[in-house]
Every structure is written in structure tokens, then in C-alpha cells.
Amino acid sequence: PRVTVVGAGRVGSTLAQRIAEKNLADVVLLDIVEGMPQGLALDLLEARGLELHNRQISGTNNYADTANSNIVVITAGFPRKPGMSRDDLLKINAKIVVDAAKNAIAHSPHAIFIVVTNPLDVMTYLTWQATNLPRNQVMGMAGVLDSARFETFIALELGVLPADVKAMVLGSHGDLMVPLARYATVNGIPITELLDAATIERLVERTRNGGAEIVELMHTGGAFFAPASATSLMVESILLNQSRLLPVAAYLQGEYGLNDIVIGVPCRLGCGGIENILELTLSDEEKTALQTSANSVRQNIQRAQE
Ligand code: NAI
């Protein structure tokens, strides 16, 4: 299989490395900056013998070279600077993402699209519109990352192995995300049995602020290692038809009482993309939080199209 990664910046180039070194697919890296994706691809190729894989990795500035990709990941666009919210990136990234989606679909009409560019839910909606694909073939990466952050903070608090912590974060990728604390467990034991309410609330807050915490520390740009890992997990579930149940930004048609909106919900990911959307029973509070999250995405979709 072949995966195109549009945007060979920090998330895109790290993702290309993960996909190739996990031996998942050949990778085409595309960027507008001339020479840069070609240089990165050559660098990754030179690591092949050392990392013991034989995947093709190429760099290009031309969409014709991405033809017949099984998956297109869009990471092109600007990341946040300190003090900026993801929504501040709206207009500038909307143009970049729509352009990328239209160019990519022209050469890979059957591809599955995974959007990473922020503001995530809005960019995923615009990609669904621009490609005109069935909704199961367009999705956004945010929930896997936000959940990994929540799991990390729970593991650090309890001093347990991060892989033993399972949690899910729904809603939009931003301050209004909806971490489902009451569903979080350590090997099946609910964290509500292990931590008091105030501590859980502190970990939820840190999760909501997880991206900004890193932006503030780094000054230039944001996180990219964990975002690349989260995206490669989605790529893997699709290419290997693993049917993993993951929080994914999906286009909703009535699920959770929401219509014509993209937001993070639990989805089973397999070779067709989103195989199905799971409708969890939410508490009134969680429902309201999801609704608030959806309203803010809706406003931003309108703003992006003004
Ligand atoms: P970066 O600045 O390192 O890379 C972005 C790349 O996009 C640059 O190489 C740039 O030349 C390229 N680019 C710009 N316009 C383009 C166009 N029209 N066509 C092709 N390439 C173009 O940024 P980074 O850190 O890799 O982040 C990328 C995006 O991903 C940002 O919007 C960031 O906010 C978002 N992000 C989303 C996450 C999520 O959870 N969904 C997590 C981390 C980042």
C-alpha cells in the first residue's frame, strides 16, 4: 500500500518515519517547499538498512507523484504559536487544507483521508466537503492523541504502566474536548476507584490544556511525536483492517443527536475507513459538553466559509 503525507513539517515527517519504520506502507511526502520533502525522503531512505525495512519513501512538490494512494494524511498548514488558540489558525489553514484535499483526490479518487491540520474538526469537515467522498472515508485525528495524553497523566499520577491505562476523549479538539473520566480504567479498574474527584478534575484540565502546555514550553510550533504516533495508529488500523475502536473526528448524521457536523466519537477503523460509529450512553453533563463542543465547531465552519 501507499500513504501520501501532505505537509512534510514536523508532524508529517515524523509520521512518514513511523509508517515506513513500522513497515506499514510506502510513503510519499509532499510539501510546497521545494527540495525539502525530497531531502527528508532521502534521509529516511538512508536509514532503511539500519532500521531493517524495505519501504519506498519519496518526496515531491507535485500531486501527480501521489497517484493511487490508499490513504492521504493532511498535515499541511500552520501550527500554533504561544498564546494562540487552534481557532486562530482557521482561515489560513482552511485554504491550505481545501487546496490539498482537492489536489490529492484528483490523483487518488479512492483514498481514505485522515486530517491532522488544526483547527482539526473544521478542517476535517472542509476536507469531507472538498473531496465529496462518502463520510466513512474522511476522518480527523485528535481523540487518539487527547486520549493518550489523558492516559499519560493518569499513569503518571498513579505510577502505573501507561499501556495499562485506557481512556477515551470525545468532542472537538480544543478547550471544549470531552474526556470521559468515568469510562477510564487501569486494567479494568475504574479510575474513580483509584483517584479522588479533585485529582481527576486536575488531570482532565491538564488533558484539555495538553497541546498548549507543549506549545508554551517549546515556543516554536507544538507537539509532533505523540501526534505522529496517534496518526500512525489510525493508519495501521485501516491498512491492517484491525477494527480498532478509537475516538475519531467523524461526520455525523444523527448520531449523538448531531447532524452535518464533524466531531470526535468512538469509531471502528478498518479497511473501509470508519466501519461504524458507536453510540455510547452519555450522562446529561457529557451530552451537554458534546453539544457545546459541536456548537463551537459549527460556528467555526461558518467563519471559515465567510
Ligand atoms: P510544521 O510547520 O512543522 O509543518 C507544516 C508543513 O506544511 C510545512 O512544511 C509547510 O511548508 C507545509 N505547507 C504549508 N502550506 C502547504 C501547502 N499549501 N501544501 C503543502 N504543504 C504545505 O507544522 P506541524 O507542527 O507539522 O503541524 C502541522 C499541523 O498539524 C498544524 O496545523 C498543527 O496545528 C496540526 N497539529 C494537529 C494535531 C492534532 O491533534 N490534530 C497535533 C499536532 C499538530
Side-chain angles (χ1 to χ4, degrees):
R2 177 175 233 213
V3 176
T4 284
V5 179
V6 183
R10 294 181 320 157
V11 176
S13 58
T14 311
L15 175 63
Q17 178 189 13
R18 296 249 200 279
I19 292 171
E21 292 179 0
K22 278 180 155 182
N23 204 20
L24 293 175
D26 295 340
V27 184
V28 183
L29 258 177
L30 184 144
D31 204 282
I32 38 160
V33 179
E34 281 180 28
M36 191 261 268
Q38 292 86 342
L40 286 168
L42 184 57
D43 194 9
L44 284 167
L45 272 187
E46 290 165 357
R48 265 200 315 189
L50 306 172
E51 294 292 340
L52 302 178
H53 71 87
N54 201 24
R55 292 296 177 180
Q56 287 301 324
I57 305 158
S58 55
T60 184
N61 310 111
N62 184 347
Y63 279 91
D65 296 329
T66 70
N68 300 320
S69 296
N70 302 74
I71 297 181
V72 174
V73 183
I74 301 182
T75 76
F78 289 86
R80 286 192 282 172
K81 297 198 177 75
M84 278 175 92
S85 81
R86 292 178 180 88
D87 294 347
D88 292 333
L89 301 168
L90 189 64
K91 292 247 164 158
I92 181 159
N93 282 354
K95 193 178 168 319
I96 293 172
V97 166
V98 167
D99 190 55
K102 286 189 169 152
N103 278 308
I105 188 87
H107 296 278
S108 302
H110 306 296
I112 290 170
F113 280 68
I114 303 177
V115 181
V116 178
T117 307
N118 276 317
L120 190 272
D121 307 86
V122 183
M123 296 305 130
T124 307
Y125 184 95
L126 297 180
T127 299
W128 169 76
Q129 259 188 345
T131 56
N132 212 13
L133 282 168
R135 66 169 179 154
N136 58 303
Q137 281 175 248
V138 182
M139 67 194 81
M141 186 290 292
V144 178
L145 172 65
D146 294 331
S147 302
R149 285 180 173 152
F150 192 27
E151 289 163 357
T152 300
F153 301 144
I154 294 167
L156 286 174
E157 186 69 29
L158 290 168
V160 299
L161 189 71
D164 284 348
V165 182
K166 295 287 167 219
M168 203 175 269
V169 178
L170 305 186
S172 61
H173 186 49
D175 306 336
L176 296 172
M177 69 178 70
V178 186
L180 298 179
R182 72 195 171 94
Y183 283 117
T185 74
V186 180
N187 282 340
I189 302 169
I191 61 163
T192 46
E193 293 288 319
L194 304 168
L195 295 167
D196 60 50
T199 305
I200 292 175
E201 190 45 42
R202 179 163 54 76
L203 303 182
V204 163
E205 252 334 287
R206 191 170 177 195
T207 303
R208 287 210 179 96
N209 203 35
E213 183 177 355
I214 291 175
V215 172
E216 294 299 332
L217 285 167
M218 306 214 315
H219 294 291
T220 50
F224 59 98
F225 288 124
S229 294
T231 312
S232 94
L233 191 90
M234 292 169 66
V235 168
E236 184 175 32
S237 191
I238 294 168
L239 289 179
L240 304 185
N241 198 20
Q242 287 174 326
S243 297
R244 294 190 69 165
L245 183 63
L246 302 168
V248 167
Y251 183 85
L252 300 188
Q253 284 175 321
E255 294 87 358
Y256 293 91
L258 298 168
N259 233 315
D260 189 34
I261 191 83
V262 166
I263 204 139
V265 291
C267 297
R268 215 158 47 86
L269 287 194
C271 60
I274 297 174
E275 304 283 357
N276 65 284
I277 296 173
L278 180 83
E279 282 200 69
L280 286 173
T281 314
L282 297 181
S283 67
D284 287 345
E285 201 184 332
E286 289 158 351
K287 261 187 224 154
T288 310
L290 198 63
Q291 187 72 52
T292 308
S293 204
N295 289 344
S296 119
V297 175
R298 207 180 293 284
Q299 277 172 9
N300 279 332
I301 290 171
Q302 271 159 13
R303 272 181 55 208
Q305 289 171 330
E306 272 164 12

